[in-house]
Coordinates of all heavy atoms in Angstrom, one line a residue:
M193 N 108.7 118.2 101.8 CA 109.0 117.8 100.4 C 108.4 116.4 100.1 O 107.8 116.2 99.1 CB 110.5 117.9 100.1 CG 111.1 119.3 100.1 SD 112.9 119.3 100.3 CE 113.4 118.4 98.8
V194 N 108.7 115.5 101.1 CA 108.2 114.2 100.9 C 106.7 114.2 100.8 O 106.1 113.4 100.1 CB 108.7 113.3 102.1 CG1 108.0 112.0 102.1 CG2 110.2 113.1 102.0
E195 N 106.0 115.0 101.6 CA 104.6 115.1 101.5 C 104.0 115.7 100.3 O 102.8 115.8 100.1 CB 104.1 115.9 102.8 CG 104.2 115.2 104.1 CD 103.4 113.9 104.2 OE1 102.3 113.9 103.6 OE2 103.9 113.0 104.8
G196 N 104.9 116.2 99.4 CA 104.5 116.8 98.1 C 104.2 118.2 98.1 O 103.6 118.8 97.1
L197 N 104.6 119.0 99.2 CA 104.3 120.4 99.2 C 105.2 121.2 98.3 O 106.4 120.8 98.2 CB 104.4 120.9 100.6 CG 103.2 120.8 101.6 CD1 102.8 119.4 101.8 CD2 103.5 121.6 102.9
S198 N 104.7 122.2 97.7 CA 105.6 123.1 96.8 C 106.4 124.0 97.7 O 106.1 124.1 98.9 CB 104.7 123.9 95.9 OG 103.9 124.8 96.6
R199 N 107.3 124.7 97.1 CA 108.1 125.6 97.9 C 107.3 126.7 98.6 O 107.5 127.0 99.8 CB 109.2 126.3 97.1 CG 110.2 127.2 97.9 CD 111.3 127.7 97.0 NE 112.1 126.6 96.6 CZ 113.1 126.7 95.6 NH1 113.3 127.9 95.0 NH2 113.8 125.7 95.3
P200 N 106.3 127.4 97.9 CA 105.5 128.3 98.6 C 104.7 127.7 99.7 O 104.4 128.3 100.8 CB 104.6 128.9 97.5 CG 105.4 128.7 96.2 CD 106.1 127.4 96.5
E201 N 104.2 126.5 99.5 CA 103.4 125.8 100.5 C 104.3 125.5 101.8 O 103.8 125.6 102.9 CB 102.8 124.5 100.0 CG 101.7 124.8 99.0 CD 101.2 123.5 98.3 OE1 102.0 122.6 98.1 OE2 100.1 123.5 97.8
I202 N 105.5 125.1 101.5 CA 106.4 124.8 102.6 C 106.7 126.1 103.4 O 106.7 126.1 104.6 CB 107.8 124.2 102.1 CG1 107.5 122.8 101.5 CG2 108.8 124.1 103.2 CD1 108.8 122.3 100.8
A203 N 106.9 127.2 102.7 CA 107.2 128.4 103.4 C 106.0 128.8 104.2 O 106.2 129.3 105.4 CB 107.4 129.5 102.3
A204 N 104.8 128.7 103.7 CA 103.6 129.0 104.5 C 103.4 128.1 105.7 O 103.1 128.5 106.8 CB 102.4 129.0 103.6
H205 N 103.7 126.8 105.5 CA 103.5 125.8 106.5 C 104.5 125.9 107.6 O 104.1 125.8 108.8 CB 103.7 124.4 105.9 CG 103.3 123.2 106.8 ND1 102.1 123.0 107.3 CD2 104.1 122.3 107.3 CE1 102.1 122.0 108.1 NE2 103.3 121.5 108.1
L206 N 105.7 126.3 107.3 CA 106.8 126.4 108.3 C 107.0 127.9 108.7 O 107.9 128.2 109.5 CB 108.1 125.8 107.8 CG 108.0 124.3 107.5 CD1 109.4 123.8 107.0 CD2 107.6 123.5 108.7
N207 N 106.2 128.8 108.2 CA 106.3 130.2 108.5 C 107.7 130.8 108.3 O 108.3 131.3 109.2 CB 105.9 130.4 110.0 CG 105.7 131.9 110.4 OD1 105.3 132.7 109.5 ND2 105.9 132.2 111.6
M208 N 108.2 130.6 107.1 CA 109.5 131.1 106.7 C 109.4 131.6 105.2 O 108.4 131.4 104.5 CB 110.6 130.0 106.8 CG 110.4 128.8 105.9 SD 111.7 127.6 105.9 CE 111.7 127.0 107.6
S209 N 110.4 132.4 104.8 CA 110.4 132.9 103.5 C 110.7 131.9 102.4 O 111.3 130.8 102.7 CB 111.3 134.1 103.4 OG 112.7 133.6 103.4
G210 N 110.4 132.2 101.2 CA 110.7 131.3 100.1 C 112.2 131.1 99.9 O 112.7 130.0 99.6
N211 N 112.9 132.2 100.1 CA 114.4 132.2 100.0 C 115.0 131.2 101.1 O 116.0 130.5 100.9 CB 115.0 133.6 100.2 CG 114.8 134.4 98.9 OD1 114.6 133.9 97.8 ND2 114.8 135.7 99.1
T212 N 114.4 131.3 102.3 CA 114.9 130.4 103.4 C 114.6 129.0 103.1 O 115.5 128.1 103.3 CB 114.2 130.8 104.7 OG1 114.5 132.2 105.0 CG2 114.8 130.0 105.9
V213 N 113.5 128.7 102.5 CA 113.2 127.3 102.1 C 114.2 126.8 101.1 O 114.7 125.7 101.1 CB 111.7 127.2 101.5 CG1 111.5 125.8 101.0 CG2 110.7 127.5 102.6
R214 N 114.5 127.7 100.1 CA 115.4 127.3 99.1 C 116.8 127.1 99.7 O 117.5 126.1 99.3 CB 115.5 128.4 98.0 CG 116.5 128.1 96.9 CD 116.5 129.1 95.7 NE 116.9 130.4 96.1 CZ 116.0 131.4 96.2 NH1 114.8 131.3 95.9 NH2 116.5 132.6 96.6
T215 N 117.2 127.9 100.6 CA 118.5 127.7 101.3 C 118.5 126.4 102.0 O 119.5 125.6 101.9 CB 118.8 128.8 102.2 OG1 118.9 130.1 101.5 CG2 120.1 128.6 103.0

Side-chain angles (χ1 to χ4, degrees):
M193 292 164 58
V194 169
E195 290 296 328
L197 273 64
S198 66
R199 184 175 295 169
E201 290 171 333
I202 296 174
H205 186 65
L206 298 179
N207 192 27
M208 62 175 65
S209 70
N211 286 337
T212 302
V213 173
R214 182 172 62 251
T215 298

